């Protein structure tokens, strides 16, 4: 069956710029323009721009919006000022993860949810199904919005000078809406790279103009290849690798986003039980001694027996070390545990480390 | 446009072979290194290993993916390029200069079945 890939509003730009294109989450997306390493380093040391128009956007509005978001989201938005953003997950009753997402608080009666491209249909169905009995309207605005992420130490001056949007005063994990060319544009200080940066949401036409201005200014276009190496180095999860329907946020070592002191949310009971009893497995970091590259699905062994599996692995571009995130059975998740990673026919020695291989550089 | 050297033979899986006496030097082509992008690791056989024409003898890892190396010839590995252990990116700099293994041929006739430069260049254009 021919795969019917969706094109983002910037697709023609990517093709014209000679990007290597590949399917991702049902979209035909750019993987790299000049090379993963060059693009990765542009974001770590300077600035780069990503087309992230494939991300989904859902607007929740109505008198019960706060109550409803609290019901489906594991993090706690209570008492937040308008303009604040929360990272967290939606979970099933059994604690498995529906998706990880950002929740933008517009006000007590309006929230803007940003979800993963590959999960849009599933999430929207889940959100609508669980909205029964709440006085809210749910609108999937994914087809309307284009989105770019401008990331790196020079992101702020780039957005200010090239795009002319005053973002200096937006704190980390906050957003503002601007009236630009007669439309509402959302700009947040967020990202998925471990660097300072902004995400800009607007109409397809507006996002195309933003992209063209950034290209004219010589900002490096970045593909999903380095988006993955960047998020991986700072230990951020990717749904499908570190999170899934059969992986809870506790197992993914993301308990800090699960607020069990909230009165209620979907999955609370299962997650509280798991937290109290302790998980049987969890996501940790692994560092290899050599420079073989551990990749998703490779087994992790102790004394010849499989005790875990790689979820994401790279030879880290920023540090040069071969490192991975892995789902490890207890008690092999302990820091310092000596393991062997099976790569093709050989095994390579390594040890369990913290799953942050590179320090984040956020502007807080 | 990728470089193809006239005096070598080629496999359609993008390895090159240079024969001197009964020793074949094997590497990957310029086309292959270009398609892979930044090479971060070369999984090489060990000296003394037997390799078989058409079968995997190791792998080249780029940032994004691992690609099997397919041996164009059969025989015993007599030398590996140890410089690649510390500097796999040498292959990106010059794929023909930076060979991967040397094999003592068990069947020199296998080389005749490989592509010549003109045929390989044509394959890369397709």
């Amino acid at each position: 069956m021919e795969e019917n890939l969706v094109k983002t509003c910037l697709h023609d730009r990517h093709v014209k710029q000679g990007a290597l294109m590949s399917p991702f989450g049902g979209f035909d997306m750019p993987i790299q323009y000049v090379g993963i390493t060059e693009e990765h380093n542009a974001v770590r040391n300077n600035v780069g721009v990503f087309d992230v128009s494939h991300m989904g956007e859902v607007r929740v509005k109505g008198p019960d919006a706060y109550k409803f978001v609290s019901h489906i989201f594991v993090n706690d938005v209570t008492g937040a000022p308008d303009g604040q953003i929360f990272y967290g997950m939606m979970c099933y009753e059994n604690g498995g993860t529906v998706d990880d997402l950002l929740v933008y608080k517009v006000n007590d009666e309006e929230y803007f949810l940003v979800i993963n491209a590959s999960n849009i249909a599933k999430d929207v169905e889940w959100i609508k199904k669980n909205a029964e009995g709440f006085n809210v309207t749910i609108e999937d605005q994914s087809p309307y919005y284009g989105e770019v992420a401008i990331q790196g130490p020079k992101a702020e001056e780039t957005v200010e000078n090239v795009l002319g949007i005053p973002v200096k005063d937006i704190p980390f994990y906050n957003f503002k809406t601007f009236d630009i060319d007669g439309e509402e544009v959302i700009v947040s200080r967020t990202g998925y790279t471990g660097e300072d940066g902004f995400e800009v949401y607007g109409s397809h036409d507006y996002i195309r103009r933003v992209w063209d201005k950034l290209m004219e200014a010589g900002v490096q276009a970045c593909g999903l290849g380095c988006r993955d190496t960047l998020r991986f180095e700072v230990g951020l999860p990717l749904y499908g690798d570190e999170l899934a329907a059969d992986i809870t946020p506790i197992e993914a070592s993301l308990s800090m986003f699960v607020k069990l002191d909230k009165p209620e949310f979907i999955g609370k009971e299962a997650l509280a039980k798991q937290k109290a009893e302790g998980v049987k497995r969890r996501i940790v970091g692994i560092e290899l001694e050599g420079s073989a590259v551990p990749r998703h699905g490779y087994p992790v062994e102790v004394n010849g027996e499989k005790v875990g599996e790689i979820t994401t692995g790279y030879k880290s571009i920023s540090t040069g070390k071969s490192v991975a995130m892995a789902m490890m059975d207890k008690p092999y998740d302990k820091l310092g545990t000596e393991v062997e990673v099976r790569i093709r026919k050989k095994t390579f020695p390594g040890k369990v480390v913290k799953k942050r291989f590179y320090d984040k550089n956020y502007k807080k | 446009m990728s470089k193809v050297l006239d005096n070598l033979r080629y496999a359609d899986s993008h390895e090159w072979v240079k024969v001197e006496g009964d020793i074949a030097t094997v590497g990957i082509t310029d086309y292959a290194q270009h398609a892979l992008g930044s090479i971060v690791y070369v999984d090489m056989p060990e000296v003394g290993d037997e390799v078989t024409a058409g079968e995997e003898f190791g792998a080249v890892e780029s940032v994004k993916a691992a690609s099997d190396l397919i041996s164009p010839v059969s025989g015993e590995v007599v030398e590996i390029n140890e410089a690649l252990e510390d500097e796999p990116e040498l292959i990106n700099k010059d794929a023909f200069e930076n060979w991967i293994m040397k094999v003592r041929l068990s069947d020199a006739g296998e080389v005749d079945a490989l592509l010549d430069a003109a045929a390989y260049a044509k394959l890369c254009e397709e």
Side-chain angles (χ1 to χ4, degrees):
Chain A
M1 199 178 75
E2 184 93 337
E3 202 172 353
N4 210 356
L5 294 175
V6 183
K7 292 174 178 163
T8 73
C9 58
L10 298 172
H11 187 273
D12 60 336
R13 267 77 172 166
H14 305 321
V15 172
K16 214 193 252 167
Q17 285 172 247
L20 172 68
M21 305 295 290
S22 184
F24 181 85
F27 290 77
D28 190 31
M29 295 300 288
I31 299 303
Q32 63 175 59
Y33 299 82
V34 292
I36 294 176
T37 306
E38 292 90 325
E39 292 163 29
H40 178 106
N41 289 332
V43 172
R44 284 273 178 262
N45 305 322
N46 192 356
V47 62
V49 58
F50 298 83
D51 176 14
V52 283
S53 301
H54 59 314
M55 299 297 283
E57 294 85 9
V58 176
R59 206 173 281 270
V60 176
K61 259 182 174 174
D64 286 346
Y66 161 71
K67 220 172 103 190
F68 175 64
V69 166
S70 298
H71 176 59
I72 57 167
F73 190 49
V74 300
N75 206 337
D76 191 356
V77 302
T78 308
D82 297 352
Q84 195 174 331
I85 301 166
F86 292 84
Y87 171 73
M89 301 87 211
M90 296 189 288
C91 286
Y92 296 106
E93 283 293 352
N94 69 5
T97 309
V98 180
D99 202 0
D100 62 336
L101 67 155
L102 293 178
V103 170
Y104 288 55
K105 182 183 176 184
V106 181
N107 58 55
D108 277 322
E109 298 196 353
E110 185 175 343
Y111 295 82
F112 183 69
L113 280 43
V114 181
I115 58 182
N116 282 304
S118 52
N119 290 336
I120 294 173
K122 176 186 82 174
D123 288 1
V124 170
E125 194 190 328
W126 175 257
I127 293 167
K128 284 187 173 163
K129 186 177 118 188
N130 284 289
E132 252 172 67
F134 289 89
N135 190 357
V136 288
T137 58
I138 312 292
E139 192 189 345
D140 176 9
Q141 299 183 323
S142 310
Y144 169 78
Y145 280 107
E147 184 194 353
V148 289
I150 299 144
Q151 302 282 301
K154 292 197 176 149
E156 185 181 280
E157 64 178 77
T158 301
V159 176
E160 290 259 344
N161 300 339
V162 179
L163 302 182
I165 308 175
V167 292
K168 258 200 299 274
D169 299 332
I170 301 180
F172 183 62
Y173 262 65
N174 274 256
F175 72 97
K176 272 189 183 169
T177 53
F178 297 91
D179 192 347
I180 301 174
D181 305 341
E183 69 171 274
E184 189 189 271
V185 172
I186 302 168
V187 184
S188 59
R189 194 182 284 260
T190 49
Y192 193 47
T193 61
E195 299 298 328
D196 187 31
F198 296 87
E199 294 181 292
V200 179
Y201 305 78
S203 69
H204 291 177
D205 277 343
Y206 178 71
I207 293 299
R208 281 186 204 112
R209 290 199 296 276
V210 163
W211 184 269
D212 293 344
K213 275 187 198 167
L214 293 168
M215 290 305 109
E216 253 170 61
V219 175
Q220 177 65 55
C222 296
L224 295 186
C226 79
R227 186 167 158 85
D228 201 51
T229 57
L230 289 159
R231 69 92 191 165
F232 162 75
E233 282 185 348
V234 292
L236 297 172
L238 172 65
Y239 193 91
D241 286 342
E242 286 76 32
L243 285 168
D246 62 354
I247 301 176
T248 72
I250 316 266
E251 290 172 321
S253 301
L254 298 166
S255 318
M256 62 184 289
F257 302 104
V258 181
K259 306 298 184 192
L260 292 169
D261 50 354
K262 264 169 60 171
E264 110 26 81
F265 61 87
I266 303 173
K268 182 184 170 183
E269 210 171 300
L271 294 169
K273 185 164 176 267
Q274 195 172 50
K275 183 99 201 227
E277 291 175 357
V279 288
K280 293 190 177 68
R281 52 174 199 164
R282 72 183 181 103
I283 297 277
V284 296
I286 288 181
E287 187 180 315
L288 290 193
E289 278 171 28
S291 54
V293 190
R295 302 198 189 266
H296 182 95
Y298 288 5
V300 185
E301 302 174 352
V302 168
N303 298 325
E305 257 181 59
K306 188 182 170 191
V307 295
E309 198 171 287
I310 303 294
T311 55
T312 308
Y314 284 106
K315 184 165 183 216
S316 162
I317 294 170
S318 301
T319 69
K321 288 180 181 165
S322 281
V323 284
M325 289 195 260
M327 180 63 91
M328 295 292 290
D329 295 341
K330 292 249 171 188
Y332 305 103
D333 63 321
K334 275 204 200 78
L335 287 184
T337 303
E338 292 187 1
V339 299
E340 303 243 298
V341 178
R342 184 163 289 280
I343 299 176
R344 291 178 294 277
K345 290 176 203 155
K346 301 174 199 161
T347 58
F348 293 82
K351 62 172 194 290
V352 173
V353 297
K354 286 188 183 158
K355 71 170 164 81
R356 183 174 298 179
F357 312 109
Y358 185 84
D359 285 333
K360 291 177 182 142
N361 244 323
Y362 293 144
K363 189 170 171 186
K364 293 198 186 182
Chain B
M1 185 62 198
S2 307
K3 204 162 71 169
V4 176
L5 296 190
D6 281 341
N7 56 336
L8 305 179
R9 303 301 289 259
Y10 297 88
D12 54 10
S13 48
H14 305 287
E15 290 83 11
W16 57 261
V17 181
K18 183 179 182 184
V19 180
E20 289 159 302
D22 63 345
I23 301 296
T25 305
V26 178
I28 65 166
T29 64
D30 188 48
Y31 177 90
Q33 72 76 18
H34 192 74
L36 284 163
S38 305
I39 293 170
V40 297
Y41 181 69
V42 186
D43 183 0
M44 291 182 283
E46 283 169 21
V47 171
D49 282 359
E50 289 289 329
V51 294
T52 307
E55 289 184 13
E56 176 260 315
F57 72 94
V60 186
E61 302 248 13
S62 67
V63 175
K64 193 91 196 119
S67 301
D68 282 346
L69 289 164
I70 308 297
S71 186
V73 292
S74 304
E76 184 194 341
V77 178
V78 292
E79 200 180 341
I80 58 166
N81 186 356
E82 284 169 6
L84 297 177
E85 283 172 5
D86 292 329
E87 291 181 89
E89 65 275 16
L90 286 172
I91 292 179
N92 292 121
K93 289 188 185 134
D94 189 335
F96 294 114
E97 189 66 32
N98 294 287
W99 53 279
I100 295 172
M101 65 169 179
K102 293 189 181 183
V103 176
R104 176 167 292 118
L105 294 171
S106 60
D107 177 3
E110 283 172 352
V111 177
D112 297 331
L114 297 169
L115 303 171
D116 63 16
Y120 180 68
K122 204 175 159 210
L123 178 85
C124 293
E125 276 168 31
E126 280 166 10

